[in-house]
Amino acid sequence: MSDEPSVARWSFSFWRKAEATPPQESPIVENGTGSSIAVPNGNAQVQNTSELAIYEQYRSRGAVGAAHRNGAALPNGTTEIPQRSLIPPFESAEMRTLAESLSRDIIRGSPDVTWESIKGLENAKRLLKEAVVMPIKYPKYFKGLLSPWKGILLFGPPGTGKTMLAKAVATECKTTFFNISASSIVSKWRGDSEKLVKVLFELARHHAPSTIFLDEIDAIISQRGESRSEHEASRRLKTELLIQMDGLTKTDELVFVLAATNLPWELDAAMLRRLEKRILVPLPEPEARRAMFEDLLPPLPDGADLPHDLLVERTEGYSGSDIRLVCKEAAMQPLRRLMVTLEAKQELVPEDELPKVGPIFPDDIEIALRNTRPSAHLLAHRYEKFNMEYGSHSVN
């Protein structure tokens, strides 16, 4: 017997030695992005789980076990190659782990919000199309001095449609949409917040054209140096975000930072400089409020017309969210009347025998207007003042 030790492993299910199977070399399939995927022989598992989506794309095309090089046709006759990998190559496993966690904030597929579904806000729509949509559709014209704005700030009262506008941009442009909040890039571990910001922008460049949407950005980068209680980690996070945004202006990659806030006057001055396009999303105009009521409220019985003029007059200073609450409160009135009738009965009515909810009457709308108050009208003048000092205005 040879004195050389044999390669063996323990099988804990039977407590006996089992001879190890020699490892099989896996064929390498290039994915067209400078990296490669190891495809195991004889099974459908992938060693690198982060590349699973690419492997499945390749396998669905009948190309497992074949190499695609120099544009040669694949065995099934197609010359297509899999899409780019979800995560770019990083220098360390730690950065790759952070990238995998941030990848969960990518909205896969279209948010399905169109410009037509947003009532009013024509000025904000026009400025957003000019800042984001047109540079992607017509890149030939946006070069040199006309290079696209890389930072856009949407500010205004709460409930006016800032998030919907951001989703409409993602739908229209078909860009990779990163929906980022403070919880996405703030970590309790020292140094991880700055790394998360760096990885976020690396991912955005990898998936360009892409849009990074920072909702409630005032929670991430408020004014620096105003309070001595500001933590060192918060200052490092803000500094890294400013550095990364400054780097976007020096590249030709189509990566846009779209930020939204209800408190624009609390943002740091350095961040305002980098958010070059600042767009006010105001309270809805009378025409927009009328369109909202027509869209949300069902018609009155007997062909009667809704008191649109009264509704528009009584909802001055209401946001879009407030108007939706008024319509919801009006729709609840006939349901409340039905609930009283059903609760008065001693026995439980089967679900298939439940009566239909009655129509809405003008008195129901009046009750809804009395019970709903605007939530954002008190600071409307402050938004107008900020817009006059820092905002962007369209040219008609």
Side-chain angles (χ1 to χ4, degrees), residues 25-31 37-47 51-69 73-78 80-82:
E25 293 186 359
S26 299
I28 302 299
V29 178
E30 294 185 358
N31 61 3
I37 311 167
V39 182
N41 290 328
N43 56 50
Q45 295 180 354
V46 183
Q47 300 296 334
E51 304 289 346
L52 182 61
I54 305 172
Y55 169 66
E56 288 178 343
Q57 293 172 20
Y58 210 95
R59 184 168 177 252
S60 65
R61 294 169 180 168
V64 175
H68 181 280
R69 293 182 177 90
L74 297 175
N76 59 355
T78 180
E80 296 181 359
I81 59 176

Side-chain angles (χ1 to χ4, degrees), residues 180-194:
I180 302 298
S181 62
S183 62
S184 304
I185 56 177
V186 175
S187 172
K188 65 178 181 179
W189 304 109
R190 181 181 177 87
D192 272 10
S193 296
E194 305 93 278

Side-chain angles (χ1 to χ4, degrees), residues 91-103:
E91 64 272 14
S92 65
E94 179 188 8
M95 301 290 277
R96 190 176 184 86
T97 302
L98 295 176
E100 289 173 353
S101 66
L102 276 175
S103 298

Side-chain angles (χ1 to χ4, degrees), residues 248-279:
L248 289 182
T249 60
K250 300 175 183 177
T251 64
D252 295 330
E253 295 167 330
L254 288 177
V255 177
F256 302 94
V257 175
L258 190 57
T261 180
N262 302 324
L263 304 171
W265 44 82
E266 292 192 2
L267 292 178
D268 189 76
M271 176 55 73
L272 281 178
R273 182 185 71 81
R274 287 163 174 81
L275 295 171
E276 306 160 307
K277 200 76 169 174
R278 296 176 283 272
I279 303 173

Side-chain angles (χ1 to χ4, degrees), residues 160-219:
T160 51
K162 297 183 288 295
T163 303
M164 287 190 67
L165 283 171
K167 292 181 178 179
V169 168
T171 302
E172 179 73 16
C173 301
K174 296 180 176 60
T175 60
T176 308
F177 193 73
F178 293 80
N179 191 13
I180 302 298
S181 62
S183 62
S184 304
I185 56 177
V186 175
S187 172
K188 65 178 181 179
W189 304 109
R190 181 181 177 87
D192 272 10
S193 296
E194 305 93 278
K195 293 177 183 176
L196 281 167
V197 172
K198 182 178 180 181
V199 168
L200 170 63
F201 280 82
E202 288 291 333
L203 280 173
R205 293 187 185 95
H206 179 68
H207 291 282
S210 58
T211 303
I212 301 175
F213 178 53
L214 298 172
D215 202 2
E216 305 297 343
I217 192 175
D218 54 279

